[in-house]
Amino acid sequence: MLSGQAAAQNGIWSIGPKIGYTFGAEGGVTAGFEVSYFPNYDALPIGYTCDITVLGDPSRLSLHLGAEAYLIAGLDIGPTLFLDRGRFYPGVSIIPFVGVGLLPYYEFGVPFDHPPFESVGGYLKFPIGSGGYGHGFSVG
């Protein structure tokens, strides 16, 4: 087991904006922000993600918490809370992505008790970490 300082040295944060398009009658342009954290990136690029996405106006948004694995291509899966004009819908999102820096993505979202949807777009991610990654920012 690594000490807190050693584990923090291997951790990496990846943050940035996202923009995309959701298909369908209720679709449109989406925009948001995502934060990912990989606690031990050197050993295994598996981490956690949190993103918020707005569809058109603030009364239509989603908050996604996921687990992701990444090595050039990645997959993010986890629960998502959808807000649509004052009504909440819990659900799940599956988001494959690929790339470094600029990452195109596809999202398949399944709000429970609401029709599923598909989105495409891109993340512009900036790594912030230590141990030779990002900009040398220390999280520990």
Side-chain angles (χ1 to χ4, degrees), residues 11-87:
I12 184 170
W13 291 86
S14 181
I15 63 172
K18 65 184 267 190
I19 190 162
Y21 185 82
T22 298
F23 299 100
E26 294 285 321
V29 174
T30 60
F33 190 80
E34 179 177 280
V35 176
S36 300
Y37 178 64
F38 297 90
N40 194 1
Y41 192 82
D42 289 339
L44 195 57
I46 293 177
Y48 314 100
T49 185
C50 176
D51 74 51
I52 188 162
T53 305
V54 176
L55 174 57
D57 68 76
S59 72
R60 300 183 68 212
L61 58 88
S62 67
L63 174 65
H64 172 74
L65 301 172
E68 66 182 2
Y70 172 72
L71 188 60
I72 305 299
L75 183 64
D76 177 351
I77 300 174
T80 304
L81 182 60
F82 302 94
L83 171 66
D84 188 4
R85 297 176 186 95
R87 296 189 62 198

